[in-house]
Amino acid sequence: MSGTIEKTTTAELAPGVHIPLLGLGTWPLTAEDAAAAVSQAITIGYRHIDTAENYRNESAVGQGILRSGIEREELFLTSKFNTQWHSRKGVREAFAKASKRLGTDYLDLFLVHWPNPAQGRFVQACEGLQQLVDDGSIRAWGVSNFKPAHLRLVKEAGLDVPVNQVQVDPEHGQPEQLAFHREHGIRTAAYSPLGRNGGFLGHPAVTGPARELGKTPAQIVLRWHVQHGHVATPKSANYERQRENLDVFSFVLTQGQLDAIDALETGAPPRLDSDTYFH
Ligand code: NDP
């Protein structure tokens, strides 16, 4: 997908299930901060919100959605569950609890947050998710922080993973991971897409196009994600930054500009190693 121009603002995860490429990240917002940020974002035009059991903000996110007045079906809502629920029955329970906290009957996307390979039950978690899709509780399922070795085991169980949410930014391009995704038709969702206000936002490969196009460095990096076909969920509670982060569909980076940002890749692994870290 590298180098192609993504003309649409959504990607199809499953037949008829379209995920907006740009969503609002909600970690580490909690309580009223989370509710206010979500409500404001929806008013600005966000139609995709990313939360998780572990962020302890699902109830607040639900409040924010309610406050915005948006119709539920106009919103794409993603949540993730912890590894204690890794069984078919457990995933159903995790869904019941998450949907109750969020105040919704269904989720658009439900993710296995971490594989926890030592526990060895992430394949059962994926099977549980597929059952939730089959009975209409969720519209699509996916995983997060799964390395190719984990994804292979899911594949061997006969399941095609629609999406994997992993840490990706220009300095953490994870080329092997993303090549595996492309080879197996797995959509990449990028978390920490701005590298948590990463130093690369000041690099000439980013600030140059920003100046030429009259955009901010964050918009250039989010546009880079979009043109690579990544889903991206930048977090901000700030009105102006929420606005600019969503406004990345009215301009295009050239192949040379994309290549220069690609060249910022350092080969560094993600912050957290999903063979050992989990919650
Ligand atoms: P981000 O890359 O989204 O960076 C967030 C930081 O960048 C904040 O400090 C924010 O500041 C700042 N920022 C946001 N917009 C701009 C802008 N336009 N210009 C300059 N600075 C900006 O990192 P996160 O780690 O928060 O990741 C985003 C989301 O991904 C999370 O909120 C969460 O939903 C998800 N996530 C998923 C994980 C997983 O394991 N699946 C792990 C980690 C995150 P300010 O808020 O002040 O605007």
Side-chain angles (χ1 to χ4, degrees):
M1 222 170 292
S2 182
T4 61
I5 292 175
E6 189 74 59
K7 292 199 179 64
T8 57
T9 59
T10 62
E12 193 168 33
L13 288 186
V17 183
H18 300 271
I19 184 169
L21 290 181
L22 220 296
L24 180 76
T26 63
W27 180 87
L29 300 166
T30 55
E32 175 54 25
D33 290 347
V38 165
S39 169
Q40 171 179 275
I42 293 170
T43 307
I44 287 171
Y46 282 76
R47 291 295 177 265
H48 169 191
I49 309 289
D50 182 88
T51 180
E53 173 185 13
N54 206 60
Y55 303 165
R56 299 178 192 281
N57 66 11
E58 286 172 309
S59 300
V61 167
Q63 283 298 316
I65 294 168
L66 196 64
R67 199 180 294 172
S68 75
I70 196 168
E71 297 290 336
R72 173 66 185 88
E73 58 273 18
E74 284 183 38
L75 195 66
F76 192 100
L77 189 53
T78 301
S79 196
K80 323 180 189 80
F81 57 89
N82 288 346
T83 65
Q84 78 175 99
W85 308 109
H86 284 194
S87 68
R88 291 183 189 198
K89 194 163 158 267
V91 170
R92 186 163 294 281
E93 210 177 323
F95 166 73
K97 289 177 188 293
S99 55
K100 187 164 180 218
R101 285 188 296 263
L102 283 158
T104 182
D105 297 341
Y106 69 95
L107 288 171
D108 296 281
L109 181 61
F110 205 23
L111 305 178
V112 183
H113 205 151
W114 291 90
N116 191 359
Q119 179 180 249
R121 298 208 311 257
F122 61 79
V123 172
Q124 284 96 315
C126 294
E127 288 168 347
L129 283 172
Q130 183 59 56
Q131 287 180 346
L132 290 181
V133 170
D134 294 343
D135 72 22
S137 301
I138 63 175
R139 297 179 68 224
W141 69 275
V143 300
S144 181
N145 299 298
F146 274 42
K147 296 182 184 184
H150 312 135
L151 293 167
R152 272 193 204 98
L153 290 173
V154 179
K155 180 106 188 146
E156 280 168 20
L159 290 170
D160 289 324
V161 175
V163 59
N164 190 13
Q165 189 184 97
V166 290
Q167 186 195 338
V168 179
D169 66 44
E171 289 181 344
H172 299 84
Q174 298 213 55
E176 285 165 25
Q177 176 83 39
L178 268 52
F180 187 91
H181 289 180
R182 280 193 294 277
E183 190 186 330
H184 295 276
I186 300 168
R187 177 68 55 170
T188 298
Y191 74 68
S192 305
L194 299 173
R196 299 201 172 150
N197 208 356
F200 54 79
L201 292 173
H203 192 281
V206 174
T207 55
R211 233 185 347 266
E212 280 167 41
L213 293 159
K215 300 291 167 191
T216 67
Q219 286 176 308
I220 298 301
V221 169
L222 292 171
R223 182 68 207 178
W224 171 86
H225 280 291
V226 164
Q227 285 187 225
H228 280 311
H230 307 161
V231 175
T233 53
K235 171 262 164 186
S236 183
N238 173 277
Y239 179 79
E240 282 307 327
R241 288 196 284 278
Q242 281 190 352
R243 273 180 65 108
E244 71 178 66
N245 292 348
L246 189 62
D247 180 17
V248 296
F249 298 100
S250 60
F251 64 98
V252 169
L253 299 175
T254 64
Q255 189 59 51
Q257 289 169 330
L258 290 173
D259 291 346
I261 300 173
D262 287 345
L264 299 179
E265 164 62 17
T266 60
R271 270 189 306 273
L272 298 165
D273 183 346
S274 63
D275 275 325
T276 49
Y277 180 86
F278 65 90
H279 46 62

